[in-house]
Amino acid sequence: MIDFELTDGDKEVIALARRQAIGYQQRAKGIDRTMEFDRPDFAEQFAFAGQEDIVHVRDFAQERADDLSGLTIIEPLIYLEESYGFKPLYWQGDNADAMNVSLSGKLIEKVGTPEQVEAFQPLYLAWGMSEPNGGSDPASMRTVATYDAATDEWVINGEKIFSSNATHADGILVMCRAVGPDGDEGISLFVVTKGMPGYGVGPQMDKLGLRNWDTVATFFMDVRVPALNRLQGNLKDALSIFNGTRALIAGQALGYARVALDLVREKYAEGGKALNYAGSLASRSAIEDRILGMEALWDATYLTMLHAKWHEQARGPGKFYPSLAKCKAGLMVRKLINDCMDILGPESASEKLPVEQALRDARILDIYEGPNEAQRLLMARTLLNYSAKELN
């Protein structure tokens, strides 16, 4: 039997994340308007009113490691709470107040040599995969690393877009088409650190949603990196990292959706009414039945997410369940927020309520870490035992 029961330690960590999320939500709208915030002072800047000591959710969880059901399952629950507060999630640094789910760090841990892990694991590295002409097909990338035998270096030229947190990161783990002495060697992985001549970071992208998220383009003009900075991994290794993080996207979606759903329940309760969970369809109003349907959809997505992370903890991440959790969450969050806006009326589209921001921020969840159309292909191949050539 699958047991999703939370330990006392789990509940303490989630309760702290929830308190901080509620405090952060008060500041989220201002940051959404200006896109101005100081990431290095993250914890102090976003401590909620009345908090005497800064407590990091990450450190709080690690201190209670023996009393947790497992950080694998706790991670998406913390994401849910922090997304409820519209809190930036991925920044890692001395004052970071978030779980460490760095894609680059996980990839270095997976394919790096002991020497590379020692050199690069302490760094926070952005992720360089998407390109202006690449779309959702990373195999078509044009950034090239050419080997220079005279200096035993690789020379990188190209451009990446949507490089999250590259402004404040120590560098970037960039995917390039490697051209060695014998020609094209396929997609390879290189670590580029700040200060290397020719590496540049562009200005903030003015986005519709996730405006509290550092998103920039990065540029490589004859960037020379030593042989040590080439990881012995490939595109398949890079894509496999997403199997461990796609369920976190479901946590993000659940957080945004709960913002809208909680507001609907709050407005409904203001009329002195209570939701009738035990009654029949005939005994409930149409609005009441619609709210219960939304709650059921939210709960089903929540359980799908937990099952994906339980499967990862018990048997390894795999491909199917993380893709299923991400697909279901992407559909759920847009439908649920739109339905809540129908119930709340025109005011929900104004800045008076946080719902419109939740809708804008949630739009990306269908797209990043692999668009949901691609996830459905992955699931179909797994179920039918087809290769990418047989089903594409």
Side-chain angles (χ1 to χ4, degrees):
M1 185 179 78
I2 301 175
D3 184 9
F4 294 147
E5 187 69 26
L6 301 180
T7 67
D8 290 340
D10 295 335
K11 294 173 183 177
E12 279 189 85
V13 172
I14 294 169
L16 175 62
R18 181 171 299 173
R19 289 202 311 273
Q20 294 186 343
I22 292 171
Y24 183 84
Q25 198 179 92
Q26 300 169 9
R27 298 167 168 83
K29 179 54 66 178
I31 296 171
D32 179 68
R33 293 192 189 101
T34 64
M35 294 179 63
E36 294 178 358
F37 50 96
D38 186 3
R39 288 296 181 89
D41 294 331
F42 183 85
E44 292 185 14
Q45 185 175 1
F46 300 126
F48 56 89
Q51 183 181 358
E52 296 180 0
D53 299 314
I54 304 300
V55 180
H56 292 185
V57 173
R58 176 193 59 191
D59 299 335
F60 192 70
Q62 290 171 346
E63 289 172 6
R64 286 155 178 75
D66 293 338
D67 190 32
L68 298 180
S69 59
L71 285 178
T72 303
I73 290 180
I74 289 298
E75 280 180 353
L77 299 178
I78 293 174
Y79 260 56
L80 193 165
E81 298 303 337
E82 295 191 326
S83 300
Y84 184 73
F86 299 101
K87 185 177 183 180
L89 300 171
Y90 282 135
W91 168 251
Q92 294 294 320
D94 292 338
N95 290 327
D97 184 22
M99 302 302 292
N100 186 358
V101 291
S102 165
L103 296 173
S104 299
K106 289 180 182 295
L107 185 53
I108 290 169
E109 185 178 348
K110 177 178 180 178
V111 303
T113 65
E115 186 180 9
Q116 289 171 328
V117 170
E118 182 180 359
F120 304 130
Q121 191 78 345
L123 304 178
Y124 180 79
L125 300 172
W127 181 264
M129 178 179 283
S130 299
E131 294 187 357
N133 298 311
S136 59
D137 180 17
S140 67
M141 66 180 60
R142 300 180 182 179
T143 300
V144 175
T146 306
Y147 182 66
D148 184 349
T151 60
D152 192 25
E153 293 175 318
W154 291 86
V155 184
I156 301 176
N157 284 279
E159 177 185 2
K160 299 292 178 179
I161 56 172
F162 309 129
S163 301
S164 296
N165 292 315
T167 303
H168 301 284
D170 300 309
I172 187 168
L173 197 160
V174 60
M175 275 124 266
C176 309
R177 190 166 295 282
V179 179
D182 299 323
D184 191 342
E185 299 179 3
I187 304 299
S188 193
L189 317 170
F190 296 85
V191 173
V192 176
T193 56
K194 274 189 174 174
M196 286 184 170
Y199 172 53
V201 177
Q204 287 297 315
M205 301 176 71
D206 191 7
K207 309 184 297 292
L208 176 68
L210 284 189
R211 292 170 59 82
N212 61 359
W213 195 303
D214 176 16
T215 312
V216 296
T218 47
F219 309 93
F220 308 85
M221 299 178 64
D222 293 329
V223 179
R224 290 183 168 269
V225 299
L228 174 67
N229 289 44
R230 184 190 184 187
L231 302 178
Q232 295 306 306
N234 53 32
L235 180 60
K236 185 177 180 180
D237 293 315
L239 293 175
S240 71
I241 297 300
F242 291 129
N243 294 331
T245 60
R246 286 192 175 112
L248 303 183
I249 306 303
Q252 210 173 336
L254 287 161
Y256 294 148
R258 205 181 73 193
V259 170
L261 188 55
D262 280 358
L263 189 57
V264 166
R265 286 190 286 228
E266 179 185 318
K267 295 292 185 183
Y268 187 80
E270 286 177 0
K273 300 177 182 179
L275 291 170
N276 180 9
Y277 290 96
S280 65
L281 183 62
S283 66
R284 293 195 297 261
S285 66
I287 187 68
E288 192 174 18
D289 197 60
R290 194 170 181 183
I291 294 172
L292 296 187
M294 290 191 292
E295 289 185 346
L297 177 59
W298 194 94
D299 287 345
T301 307
Y302 178 82
L303 291 173
T304 303
M305 174 193 74
L306 285 186
H307 180 263
K309 296 305 285 185
W310 170 86
H311 190 278
E312 177 185 345
Q313 182 169 289
R315 302 172 188 174
K319 296 180 180 178
F320 182 83
Y321 291 111
S323 294
L324 178 62
K326 182 180 182 297
C327 279
K328 185 168 185 62
L331 291 171
M332 175 278 299
V333 67
R334 285 199 287 158
K335 174 174 171 47
L336 197 148
I337 294 178
N338 278 322
D339 286 352
C340 287
M341 293 180 82
D342 282 346
I343 294 171
L344 293 167
E347 189 180 33
S348 64
S350 73
E351 292 188 351
K352 293 181 180 178
L353 301 178
V355 184
E356 61 85 24
Q357 182 180 343
L359 183 65
R360 288 186 287 107
D361 284 0
R363 184 63 188 91
I364 189 65
L365 303 183
D366 268 338
I367 302 169
Y368 70 172
E369 296 205 11
N372 282 357
E373 290 83 355
Q375 301 312 307
R376 292 184 182 92
L377 272 176
L378 288 174
M379 289 189 288
R381 290 170 191 161
T382 303
L383 288 174
L384 302 173
N385 197 27
Y386 283 172
S387 68
K389 291 182 179 180
E390 291 172 314
L391 183 60
N392 205 336

